[in-house]
Amino acid sequence: MLQSLPPVSDMMRNAGLEPKKQFGQNFLFDLNLTGRIARSVPDITTTNVVEIGPGPGGLTRALLMAGAMRVIAIEKDKTTEPILSKIADSADGRLSVIYADALKVDFTKLGITDYAICSNLPYNVGTELFINWLLRMAQGEPIKSMTLMFQREVAQRITAKPGDKQYGRLSVLTSLISDAKILFDVPNTAFVPRPKVQSAVIQVLPNVSKIKKLGDVRGLGAMTAKLFGQRRKMIRGIMPGIEWSQFGLTGTERAEELSPETFAQMAKILV
């Protein structure tokens, strides 16, 4: 039984494990917080949940105890195997662990028809993973929801609106593909080791009507990367030879001045 397992912190200590800086590991041991995150996953009792970077399994246990139909945990650091295997042994067959780099995993081959993603994302790859998932979501991959913990600054960039200081590429892609919101903040004191930054949990749900209006999603991803990669330059300087008036623009605008809808229109015609 999951309830009979020792606290995750004790299991780590007994296994002689510590968080690894090279994997961007900051572990969350607070049971109230891990439980709150797990319970935020929509329809969790009828949902397959993919978790990235479970580490010693604090959130993994919370997802299972919240009633997740199945949890597939993808972990790059195989030294956590002794702990995760004990959790799996107590999970009534509902936990599978894949030891691999999440950036290289083909999610369509996980053996599930649809899934939610829930994760305390490693700081060093969180943004890259998120953009990949957004683009997959827009291409029809059956991602039902994403409930993710980021640095608060990143969470604000994801949910920012045009005109906000944090508005950028993440905001544009998220806005055109999904509905996103910050659920709650998580203080840095909740982590081991304690990071210098505060964190926040966001939730992202696919918006089918928005996705249907999009053209080449990969092209949109490339265009936003190009323009926001030089965000202080005028767009005509980054992409010369464009008749900007067709988009109601002069070409003297900068990327941060363009609405998500303008980016979508540009991607349809220019990419």
Side-chain angles (χ1 to χ4, degrees):
M1 294 291 291
L2 290 166
Q3 292 88 341
S4 65
L5 290 174
V8 174
S9 55
D10 290 351
M11 295 178 78
M12 276 196 68
R13 193 178 304 111
N14 294 338
L17 296 178
E18 293 185 355
K20 293 181 175 62
K21 189 173 183 180
Q22 70 265 35
F23 292 140
Q25 292 176 337
N26 296 86
F27 297 141
L28 186 64
F29 295 144
D30 188 311
L31 295 178
N32 290 324
L33 282 171
T34 53
R36 186 178 181 188
I37 295 168
R39 291 190 298 272
S40 298
V41 177
D43 305 317
I44 189 168
T45 58
T46 56
T47 299
N48 298 298
V49 181
V50 175
E51 182 191 6
I52 307 302
L59 179 56
T60 314
R61 288 168 66 163
L63 289 166
L64 292 165
M65 292 178 72
M69 187 166 69
R70 182 182 174 193
V71 176
I72 299 175
I74 301 173
E75 176 56 69
K76 189 174 183 180
D77 179 14
K78 203 167 183 180
T79 62
T80 60
E81 185 173 13
I83 299 176
L84 293 176
S85 63
K86 289 180 180 178
I87 298 173
D89 289 343
S90 302
D92 302 318
R94 292 186 293 133
L95 174 61
S96 302
V97 184
I98 298 171
Y99 292 97
D101 183 343
L103 289 168
K104 299 176 182 178
V105 172
D106 184 348
F107 281 44
T108 63
K109 296 181 179 179
L110 294 179
I112 48 180
T113 54
D114 55 42
Y115 57 93
I117 300 172
C118 183
S119 182
N120 167 21
L121 286 172
Y123 282 172
N124 55 352
V125 294
T127 301
E128 185 177 0
L129 282 167
F130 178 67
I131 290 174
N132 286 344
W133 292 330
L134 269 181
L135 296 179
R136 289 175 182 175
M137 184 182 280
Q139 291 175 310
E141 195 156 323
I143 302 174
K144 297 170 66 176
S145 66
M146 295 191 280
T147 305
L148 306 169
M149 190 187 306
F150 284 101
Q151 297 175 46
R152 178 158 178 78
E153 177 189 350
V154 177
Q156 290 173 326
R157 284 161 47 201
I158 289 170
T159 57
K161 307 298 181 187
D164 292 347
K165 182 176 67 174
Q166 299 91 347
Y167 180 72
R169 184 185 185 218
L170 285 177
S171 322
V172 171
L173 293 176
T174 303
S175 174
L176 290 173
I177 294 168
S178 66
D179 298 315
K181 61 182 178 181
I182 294 177
L183 296 181
F184 53 88
D185 294 336
V186 179
N188 61 351
T189 53
F191 295 91
V192 176
R194 183 188 301 185
K196 296 180 181 179
V197 296
Q198 305 295 324
S199 297
V201 175
I202 68 164
Q203 189 159 85
V204 180
L205 304 175
N207 186 311
V208 176
S209 61
K210 289 181 180 179
I211 292 170
K212 285 181 178 179
K213 296 176 184 177
L214 293 178
D216 180 353
V217 176
R218 290 286 168 183
L220 175 65
M223 175 175 287
T224 53
K226 186 173 186 176
L227 293 179
F228 279 107
Q230 303 177 71
R231 63 186 301 149
R232 302 316 305 159
K233 291 184 66 174
M234 291 185 289
I235 57 175
R236 69 184 183 191
I238 304 172
M239 298 177 62
I242 305 296
E243 181 55 59
W244 294 106
S245 60
Q246 65 184 308
F247 307 112
L249 305 172
T250 64
T252 59
E253 296 86 357
R254 292 171 174 80
E256 62 196 26
E257 300 175 65
L258 307 182
S259 70
E261 293 72 26
T262 299
F263 273 104
Q265 185 184 11
M266 288 165 55
K268 279 185 178 180
I269 294 174
L270 301 179
V271 177

